[in-house]
Amino acid sequence: MFGLEASLEGYVAAVGLFVSLVIFLLQQRRLIQLRKQENYLSLELSSTELFRYEAQYGAQLAPYMATTRPDKFEGSVSGDAVATNFYLQQLNLFEIAVRLRKANSFDPKIFGSWVIWFYDAAQSWYFRENWFQWRDNYTRALREIFDAPVAKFSKEKPSIEDRRYFFLHVAKAMKCPVVKKWLDDLERAV
């Protein structure tokens, strides 16, 4: 009789341990999801501030955001400062997004939606002209995203194919299948 009670107690203890482990793992999974949502929300709120900056200085930024330097463009100290500030703010957000994605703390689908913003920055003649001065302030992962495209886009006039090239380049650099399929998924949705 004593042996039966002991084995029953052992069985109950094992089941209790198993249930506790399952509950713990489910809670951890939920915490990870919450952390990803918090990261997303923080980045989105920061990007909203950058959009406000862009709206406030839109007229000054417009010639700096063009794919090629406008004819007879004469920058100004204040215009250059506004544009530099704008792109450095973007790069800071991009770096955070890349770090979080590499740490699997940023949803791949949300990260994919940010890649078009990366691409838009790389399309700017002013961004390309200054990237190699700015790049030393950023992580290797961000440099890997921008170095090759900026070099490529600086040598040739940007084309429609550059967008696909950029997404494939980022997908490879980030080892992210979601980014790799991003444009195909967009085209299928239309």
Side-chain angles (χ1 to χ4, degrees):
M1 190 81 168
F2 180 71
L4 182 62
E5 285 178 18
S7 65
L8 186 58
E9 287 174 4
Y11 176 74
V12 169
V15 168
L17 182 63
F18 177 75
V19 169
S20 295
L21 181 62
V22 168
I23 290 170
F24 173 77
L25 292 174
L26 290 173
Q27 288 174 336
Q28 287 300 107
R29 186 175 179 188
R30 178 72 179 140
L31 281 172
I32 289 168
Q33 287 303 105
L34 284 173
R35 199 169 303 129
K36 284 182 181 182
Q37 289 173 349
E38 287 173 0
N39 291 338
Y40 167 70
L41 183 59
S42 293
L43 280 173
E44 286 298 320
L45 290 173
S46 295
S47 68
T48 299
E49 289 301 314
L50 189 56
F51 294 139
R52 279 192 195 118
Y53 183 89
E54 183 179 4
Q56 181 180 356
Y57 295 103
Q60 278 183 287
L61 280 170
Y64 294 90
M65 295 172 80
T67 55
T68 57
R69 181 188 282 263
D71 292 336
K72 300 179 184 173
F73 175 80
E74 292 185 29
S76 66
V77 172
S78 67
D80 289 357
V82 165
T84 297
N85 189 323
F86 175 70
Y87 286 115
L88 293 179
Q89 286 181 63
Q90 276 191 335
L91 286 167
N92 290 341
L93 287 176
F94 295 167
E95 183 172 54
I96 293 167
V98 167
R99 279 182 168 182
L100 291 172
R101 178 64 189 105
K102 284 227 177 238
N104 201 25
S105 296
F106 197 42
D107 187 294
K109 291 176 184 167
I110 302 299
F111 181 77
S113 74
W114 277 56
V115 173
I116 195 67
W117 197 13
F118 293 19
Y119 171 74
D120 288 344
Q123 290 295 287
S124 157
W125 70 269
Y126 187 78
F127 180 92
R128 292 191 313 270
E129 191 173 281
N130 289 284
W131 166 247
F132 288 101
Q133 294 170 30
W134 298 333
R135 73 183 290 281
D136 293 346
N137 297 307
Y138 296 97
T139 60
R140 179 179 178 189
L142 194 64
R143 292 191 310 262
E144 287 174 355
I145 285 174
F146 283 108
D147 282 354
V150 165
K152 178 184 186 320
F153 299 165
S154 294
K155 292 176 187 159
E156 321 166 350
K157 185 177 179 187
S159 69
I160 295 293
E161 294 82 31
D162 287 338
R163 192 166 117 158
R164 182 160 301 280
Y165 160 79
F166 190 84
F167 271 79
L168 292 175
H169 173 78
V170 173
K172 182 178 178 184
M174 296 296 295
K175 297 175 180 69
C176 183
V178 171
V179 171
K180 184 177 183 179
K181 297 186 305 183
W182 192 266
L183 294 178
D184 293 334
D185 290 348
L186 281 178
E187 290 167 4
R188 275 194 293 270
V190 175

